[in-house]
Amino acid sequence: MLGTGRGSLHTVLMACLLYFSKGDYDGDMVICIWQPSIVEQFSNADPVLMDPPTCLQDHFDIKNETVTEFLQRVPPTSPTDTKIHELQEVLMTPLSDVHAVGIYSTMHENAMYSLGYSHPTTILLAWM
């Protein structure tokens, strides 16, 4: 049985999850391997790469709306059809462009081959 105290395997695994996911548990899977015969041939990436490029937000349109703002825009007295439509719009719009993920993935792969892994454009595309 695994311990739960400081320095236990549980603590190490939780630290790995936080490090690799940045707190974003959206289905990513992490495998941690300590076996020397497997890992000694590899070297860690520069920890600087764990932080997004400073210009990342320049490439996105950000439209934040608080619940209060939404309720002011679509008050509870609005017709039910309007409330449903507006709520669906807020919740579903990010899913409307299902091809964007594949496009960015392909652009990232092309940048890796043509520019190299350490090129700023390759790193930016990896974050997108």
Side-chain angles (χ1 to χ4, degrees), residues 22-115:
K22 296 278 200 168
D24 176 16
Y25 300 114
D26 62 355
D28 297 341
M29 298 181 81
V30 175
I31 297 174
C32 296
I33 301 173
W34 287 272
Q35 186 173 342
S37 63
I38 295 175
V39 300
E40 64 191 7
Q41 299 175 39
F42 295 91
S43 60
N44 291 333
D46 186 340
V48 169
L49 297 175
M50 292 298 294
D51 295 321
T54 55
C55 66
L56 182 64
Q57 293 303 319
D58 297 342
H59 298 275
F60 293 94
D61 292 330
I62 298 174
K63 297 175 185 171
N64 291 327
E65 182 178 42
T66 66
V67 172
T68 301
E69 291 167 342
F70 178 83
L71 290 174
Q72 288 172 348
R73 186 170 58 82
V74 185
T77 56
S78 299
T80 301
D81 288 349
T82 301
K83 290 188 287 191
I84 290 172
H85 173 77
E86 291 299 324
L87 189 57
Q88 286 177 334
E89 189 76 21
V90 169
L91 297 175
M92 304 299 280
T93 297
L95 303 175
S96 64
D97 190 0
V98 295
H99 303 291
V101 173
I103 291 169
Y104 279 109
S105 180
T106 300
M107 289 191 310
H108 179 242
E109 287 179 14
N110 289 339
M112 284 188 299
Y113 289 114
S114 63
L115 303 172

